[in-house]
């Protein structure tokens, strides 16, 4: 199994530009999570989906952030317009299970730098 | 009540020593407590996990100690090695079918040779 795949691995953009991060979860997994990691705030849950449906987006910082999961094998996190404070490592994770006592598998992350 | 508080923020241990990281929670509905390990440039990965019906779980050099009455749990790394140098996150979750975890702030461990 290839694991959770994220692209791009690194993204450098200028303030005001649109940024789209992509995630392919492990085949068969039914929950998908987007996290943001910074030194100051640690690992923050932004949004998660179950069976392609958004369950909780209360961690999304503001309206500039949006996420979609059009099918079971693909999700995107979009930032429009981007700001320097959005610079962070963004992780996608997936899991299979009918209960929380299941392992979340994390992707390698996308390091975003907004100049 | 949804928070998980983790300490210390950073830890330096000599090779062969014992590393101890502590976490505390408030929500008594939590019933699953995993620890994740993250190496630089990688995503976190599950290291070991415990349910509240046991007080201790050991896997190799890694042990979770769980104190339900105190609402605390800790990770002990015995005979710490330089290869254990990483960031460790504790987490907790309630019974659900979505797998949502509440993560602690993380502890950066450095094991000196």
């Amino acid at each position: 199994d290839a694991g959770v795949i994220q692209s791009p691995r690194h993204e450098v953009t200028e303030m005001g530009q649109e940024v789209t991060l992509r995630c392919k979860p492990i085949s068969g997994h039914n929950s998908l999570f987007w996290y943001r990691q910074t030194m100051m705030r640690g690992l923050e849950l932004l949004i998660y989906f179950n069976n392609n449906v958004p369950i909780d987006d209360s961690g999304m910082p503001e309206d500039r952030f949006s996420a979609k999961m059009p099918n079971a094998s693909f999700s995107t996190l979009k930032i429009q317009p981007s700001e320097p404070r959005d610079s962070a490592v963004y992780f996608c994770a997936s899991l299979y299970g009918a209960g929380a006592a299941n392992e979340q598998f994390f992707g390698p992350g996308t390091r975003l730098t907004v100049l | 009540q949804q928070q998980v508080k983790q300490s210390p923020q950073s830890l330096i241990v000599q090779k062969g020593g014992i590393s101890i990281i502590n976490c505390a929670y408030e929500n008594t509905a939590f019933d699953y407590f995993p620890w994740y390990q993250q190496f630089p440039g990688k995503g976190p990965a599950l290291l070991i996990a415990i349910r509240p019906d046991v007080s201790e779980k050991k896997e190799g050099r890694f042990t979770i100690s769980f104190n339900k009455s105190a609402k605390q749990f800790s990770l002990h790394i015995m005979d710490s090695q330089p290869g254990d140098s990483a960031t460790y996150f504790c987490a907790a979750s309630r019974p659900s079918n979505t797998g949502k975890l509440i993560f602690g702030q993380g502890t950066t461990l450095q094991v000196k040779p």
Side-chain angles (χ1 to χ4, degrees):
Chain A
D1 198 327
V4 175
I5 298 173
Q6 291 187 247
S7 65
R9 294 294 311 278
H10 302 272
E11 177 81 27
V12 180
T13 191
E14 292 189 346
M15 182 175 62
Q17 296 298 305
E18 177 180 296
V19 175
T20 299
L21 311 182
R22 297 172 175 80
C23 175
K24 176 178 170 57
I26 293 173
S27 176
H29 282 194
N30 59 356
S31 287
L32 183 140
F33 305 80
W34 281 102
Y35 293 91
R36 178 173 68 177
Q37 185 175 32
T38 60
M39 289 294 293
M40 290 296 294
R41 301 176 68 89
L43 196 60
E44 300 175 273
L45 176 63
L46 300 177
I47 185 172
Y48 71 100
F49 297 82
N50 183 250
N51 294 322
N52 311 336
V53 176
I55 302 300
D56 183 356
D57 65 354
S58 60
M60 296 286 260
E62 48 198 272
D63 292 345
R64 298 184 297 107
F65 285 69
S66 62
K68 293 181 179 180
M69 191 163 187
N71 56 63
S73 60
F74 184 65
S75 178
T76 59
L77 178 67
K78 185 176 294 185
I79 308 172
Q80 167 63 15
S82 58
E83 297 182 3
R85 60 190 169 125
D86 301 331
S87 297
V89 180
Y90 291 81
F91 288 103
C92 173
S94 70
L95 73 77
Y96 169 77
N102 290 292
E103 180 178 354
Q104 286 192 20
F105 290 83
F106 282 75
T110 294
R111 181 174 295 277
L112 173 64
T113 302
V114 183
L115 303 174
Chain B
Q1 217 187 22
Q2 280 289 87
Q3 286 186 327
V4 177
K5 295 182 179 180
Q6 183 172 346
S7 63
Q9 187 174 0
S10 62
L11 182 61
I12 300 175
V13 174
Q14 290 294 130
K15 179 182 176 181
I18 302 174
S19 303
I20 301 174
I21 305 170
N22 301 298
C23 283
Y25 64 97
E26 290 294 327
N27 191 339
T28 55
F30 288 151
D31 74 340
Y32 175 64
F33 302 89
W35 285 87
Y36 279 73
Q37 180 187 53
Q38 183 183 28
F39 292 107
K42 305 291 186 182
L46 179 64
L47 178 64
I48 185 173
I50 197 168
R51 301 294 294 267
D53 53 346
V54 296
S55 60
E56 185 175 283
K57 183 173 182 179
K58 183 176 181 180
E59 290 184 3
R61 295 183 295 107
F62 300 89
T63 300
I64 300 178
S65 296
F66 187 82
N67 186 330
K68 188 174 181 178
S69 60
K71 291 184 285 186
Q72 295 176 347
F73 59 110
S74 59
L75 176 69
H76 296 238
I77 306 174
M78 310 299 290
D79 187 26
S80 299
Q81 298 297 312
D84 297 330
S85 297
T87 299
Y88 293 82
F89 294 93
C90 63
S93 68
R94 297 181 297 162
S96 79
N97 61 357
T98 64
K100 177 183 176 180
L101 291 171
I102 308 298
F103 280 93
Q105 284 295 95
T107 297
T108 300
L109 170 66
Q110 182 183 357
V111 181
K112 290 193 169 184

